[in-house]
Amino acid sequence: MGRVDARRVGVVLGLMLSMGLTTIWVQAQEQQPGDATAAAEAVELASGQEAAEAAEQAEQQPPTLTLALAEQFLEAAKAEAIKQGWAMSFAVVDATGRQVALIRMDGARWMTTRVAQAKAFTAATFRRPSAAVEELAEQRPDLFQSLTQLIDEPMLLAGGGLPIIIEGRLLGGVGASGGTEAEDIDCAQAGLDVIGAE
């Protein structure tokens, strides 16, 4: 093959390659918008599925006793006490009886904080109002005595301690002290009503 023929073959091959690459590029460009749309739809679908799964998990997630929830209780209970002209203390404990929050209003006696804590602990431990625990102590004194020795924490079988139960789950207990038993219960219940407790 002569030098001229070799050049012609080279030009033809170059044109063929160029045309082939151009065709591939055009086809790719034509497909990209569709691919991009499909990809966007896939991303949107995946995001939608993730959001749905997250929402489902949130619905299944049981409530927990947070400081924010405890503070909501305290504010509502305190507001009721102020409205009635009572100086009180309020305590919030978790399901294990450990303190989450505690306040003593101006004018409340110093011992009311300990009383409120004991009531909250009692309500959380027995999953019932602190006053109702007295019935258990009367019905089964030996059992109650054994429990108090095992627990080794101050408990008080007086009105004003209520369990925090939301959606059937025990989150903790609250205690109020500074008024009569009825006044303590009223303020504690006012706080529970605001946080949606049963």
Side-chain angles (χ1 to χ4, degrees), residues 10 24-26 29 31 39 41 44 50 76 81-82 84 90 112 115 132 139 147 154 166-167 171 184 192:
I24 292 170
W25 184 83
V26 169
Q29 287 296 96
Q31 290 176 359
E41 289 175 353
E44 185 176 351
E50 288 175 3
I82 291 172
Q84 300 296 339
F90 302 101
T112 57
V115 173
Q139 292 169 0
L147 286 173
I166 298 178
E167 296 179 12
L171 302 188
D184 292 348
L192 290 181

Side-chain angles (χ1 to χ4, degrees), residues 95-179:
T96 66
R98 300 305 94 194
Q99 183 175 302
V100 176
L102 174 72
I103 60 168
R104 179 165 68 95
M105 296 172 61
D106 294 340
R109 290 166 294 173
W110 67 267
M111 76 281 284
T112 57
T113 55
R114 296 295 302 274
V115 173
Q117 286 175 305
K119 289 180 180 180
F121 178 85
T122 304
T125 300
F126 290 93
R127 196 190 172 100
R128 64 185 71 188
S130 54
V133 178
E134 186 176 4
E135 298 175 12
L136 174 64
E138 291 173 353
Q139 292 169 0
R140 305 188 66 181
D142 293 338
L143 173 63
F144 186 77
Q145 183 65 28
S146 297
L147 286 173
T148 55
Q149 290 175 354
L150 286 170
I151 294 169
D152 194 28
E153 291 280 353
M155 290 190 288
L156 191 57
L157 314 185
L162 299 173
I164 306 172
I165 300 176
I166 298 178
E167 296 179 12
R169 183 181 180 197
L170 176 70
L171 302 188
V174 298
S177 176

